[in-house]
Amino acid sequence: MVGQHVKERLRRSRDRWRDPPLTVLTILLALLMFVIAPLHAAGITESQDLGLAVALIVIGILLFQSGISTAIIVMLVAFGLAATATLLRLQPHHSTLDLYLDASAWILIGLALSWVVARAVFAPGRITYHRIMGAILLYLAIGLTFVALYTFVGLLVPDAFSGMTVKDSAAFASTMVYFSFGTLTTAGSGDIAPLHPIARNLCNVQAMIGQLYPATLLAGLVTLE
């Protein structure tokens, strides 16, 4: 009986500390994508690696708190890929290998993060501010996952997009985020368009997710509440 009581207290303590990182990470990722990346593209800031490192640390904390061993292993692999890509960028002459590694890392991060955040957001219990922020975080994670997928397509097929060339440059991250979230929200201005069939199909899938996610989210949260 005492053991059960202790386990219940530990579970409640873990749940209480699981939700705040959702808000912290949502703010960090939003700043990284919509503030730091554009400033880096405009030449105002020299590097966005510091913001990326902070975001990765918070993601790691969130995944470790989840206790899901598979997500933790995936995150550690992603950390290794991202660190290797950063080291390659420090070399005076490097190929596109760093972009492949970064894209691989963000696909793994996006999938692991989406799984863990979805479990936290749609878990039984009271709907809190942090869980609402977690729903926004899940939306951002979907957009980042497609950034990585578009990067792969653009690297493998150089003419997959019109108005955008996938190459290592200061404006690359900002441009990819702009295109991905423009597609996700179906608010794209048309200055960048997919030409390759795979790129077009990815855009179709992302646009459908962008339309269905808010309705599914609202229905799920209302049902839980």
Side-chain angles (χ1 to χ4, degrees):
M1 190 70 180
V2 176
Q4 272 188 327
H5 181 67
V6 172
K7 288 181 180 179
E8 181 64 20
R9 290 189 62 181
L10 288 174
R11 185 187 66 80
R12 290 180 179 178
S13 176
R14 185 184 62 203
D15 291 344
R16 184 171 65 252
W17 290 105
R18 178 193 61 189
D19 290 347
L22 296 175
T23 299
V24 175
L25 186 53
T26 302
I27 295 172
L28 280 176
L29 285 185
L31 288 174
L32 181 64
M33 290 186 296
F34 305 125
V35 178
I36 297 177
L39 291 177
H40 181 59
I44 298 175
T45 59
E46 291 298 324
S47 175
Q48 55 188 2
D49 287 337
L50 178 59
L52 178 60
V54 174
L56 288 176
I57 290 172
V58 179
I59 291 173
I61 293 172
L62 182 61
L63 293 183
F64 274 100
Q65 284 185 339
S66 71
I68 304 174
S69 58
T70 303
I72 295 172
I73 293 172
V74 169
M75 187 62 199
L76 290 175
V77 173
F79 266 123
L81 293 174
T84 304
T86 300
L87 291 176
L88 287 176
R89 278 194 294 272
L90 296 177
Q91 304 299 321
H93 302 288
H94 60 273
S95 63
T96 57
L97 179 59
D98 61 318
L99 292 180
Y100 280 105
L101 294 176
D102 263 339
S104 300
W106 278 111
I107 287 178
L108 294 177
I109 291 170
L111 293 176
L113 188 61
S114 297
W115 172 246
V116 172
V117 172
R119 284 169 56 96
V121 170
F122 296 106
R126 187 170 62 90
I127 302 301
T128 64
Y129 166 79
H130 296 299
R131 292 177 71 175
I132 298 296
M133 294 297 289
I136 299 174
L137 174 59
L138 182 56
Y139 195 75
L140 297 179
I142 292 171
L144 279 178
T145 303
F146 275 90
V147 165
L149 292 174
Y150 292 137
T151 300
F152 266 120
V153 174
L155 288 171
L156 295 173
V157 185
D159 298 325
F161 301 92
S162 67
M164 175 179 66
T165 302
V166 177
K167 61 180 181 179
D168 195 0
S169 64
F172 170 71
S174 180
T175 302
M176 293 302 294
V177 169
Y178 163 73
F179 175 69
S180 178
F181 282 89
T183 304
L184 185 63
T185 59
T186 65
S189 59
D191 53 337
I192 301 175
L195 300 179
H196 194 272
I198 295 179
R200 289 177 174 175
N201 286 332
L202 281 176
C203 288
N204 288 335
V205 172
Q206 188 179 20
M208 287 190 292
I209 293 174
Q211 292 298 304
L212 295 175
Y213 178 82
T216 305
L217 170 68
L218 290 175
L221 293 182
V222 169
T223 301
L224 288 174
E225 186 64 21

